[in-house]
Amino acid sequence: MNILREFRRIKKRSLPARILLISVFSVILIINTFAWFQANQPVNMSGLEANITPWDVRYYVDDKEVLDETVTFTIDQLYPGMPDREDTVRIFNMSTTSTSIKYELTSVKVFGQDVLDKLKEDGIIQTDGNTINIFADDTKYPFNISYTYDKTRLDGEYVDDTTTPAAGGTFQFHASWEYQGNGTEDENLAKDILDTQFGKGAYAYYQDEANDPSKAIEITVKITSSMIHP
């Protein structure tokens, strides 16, 4: 109904008819206004159901749960002939939803200095399958430090390694510094020089009280988990 047109026609009608029509139009206007107001209010719905997919991944280092996705490995006693070092991170998928796992080396500090960019620039970091050798050039660094992982995907809800092996993953950090070389005489001499150079660097680092003696080597790896949508 064109209300403006009807209002123009009212002028041609009798007074009682005009009063009646104005009352009708007023009621229609009030009803429309109320309907518009109601349509713009928050609507509460009941009886609707949504399927929410549970998803939970947990990280453990030395049987202690890690509450974030960044894991830092530190070496305090760094010297030629040091005992081999190995740390393990266990990753568990705690729901039936599959998970993708990614590993990213984000920081490498030697005696307090971040050398990650330099290692990348010189091509010293090398990848062999699921193993990343951080100091692959033994002519520049006398120690061997690497990390390896067994899975980039977790499937199923973890119960134990026997029942649900696909739901658990392992990330391992390795570090060693051999004292004696097994190469030629020249190679062993070069290694001795390199050992001495870094040995002096380690001694100077430990002697400086401003340095944290527990972090002669500090390596940070970001382990990122994301849900795999079916």
Side-chain angles (χ1 to χ4, degrees), residues 81-140:
M82 59 176 277
D84 290 355
R85 168 79 175 274
E86 183 174 288
D87 293 336
T88 300
V89 175
R90 294 301 316 276
I91 306 169
F92 300 126
N93 198 37
M94 304 306 294
S95 73
T96 57
T97 304
S98 296
T99 299
S100 174
I101 306 293
K102 294 183 179 180
Y103 310 87
E104 179 187 2
L105 183 64
T106 59
S107 177
V108 178
K109 293 182 179 180
V110 179
F111 307 140
Q113 300 296 316
D114 198 325
V115 297
L116 178 58
D117 290 340
K118 180 64 174 175
L119 294 174
K120 290 181 178 179
E121 180 182 338
D122 294 342
I124 293 177
I125 301 174
Q126 295 184 5
T127 301
D128 182 12
N130 290 351
T131 299
I132 288 79
N133 191 339
I134 301 173
F135 301 99
D137 189 347
D138 59 5
T139 66
K140 294 185 177 181

Side-chain angles (χ1 to χ4, degrees), residues 58-73:
R58 298 180 185 177
Y59 306 88
Y60 289 85
V61 178
D62 296 332
D63 296 327
K64 296 180 180 180
E65 185 172 7
V66 180
L67 299 181
D68 55 40
E69 298 176 333
T70 299
V71 181
T72 299
F73 303 92

Side-chain angles (χ1 to χ4, degrees), residues 15 42 45 95 108 111 126 154 161 215:
L15 181 60
M45 298 184 185
S95 73
V108 178
F111 307 140
Q126 295 184 5
L154 303 179
D161 290 341
K215 297 180 179 180

Side-chain angles (χ1 to χ4, degrees), residues 155-168:
D155 294 302
E157 183 176 1
Y158 182 82
V159 177
D160 56 51
D161 290 341
T162 302
T163 307
T164 55

Side-chain angles (χ1 to χ4, degrees), residues 209-230:
E209 295 182 357
N211 296 327
D212 187 341
S214 68
K215 297 180 179 180
I217 296 286
E218 184 178 7
I219 296 174
T220 302
V221 178
K222 184 177 182 181
I223 307 175
T224 305
S225 56
S226 58
M227 183 188 305
I228 298 177
H229 298 279

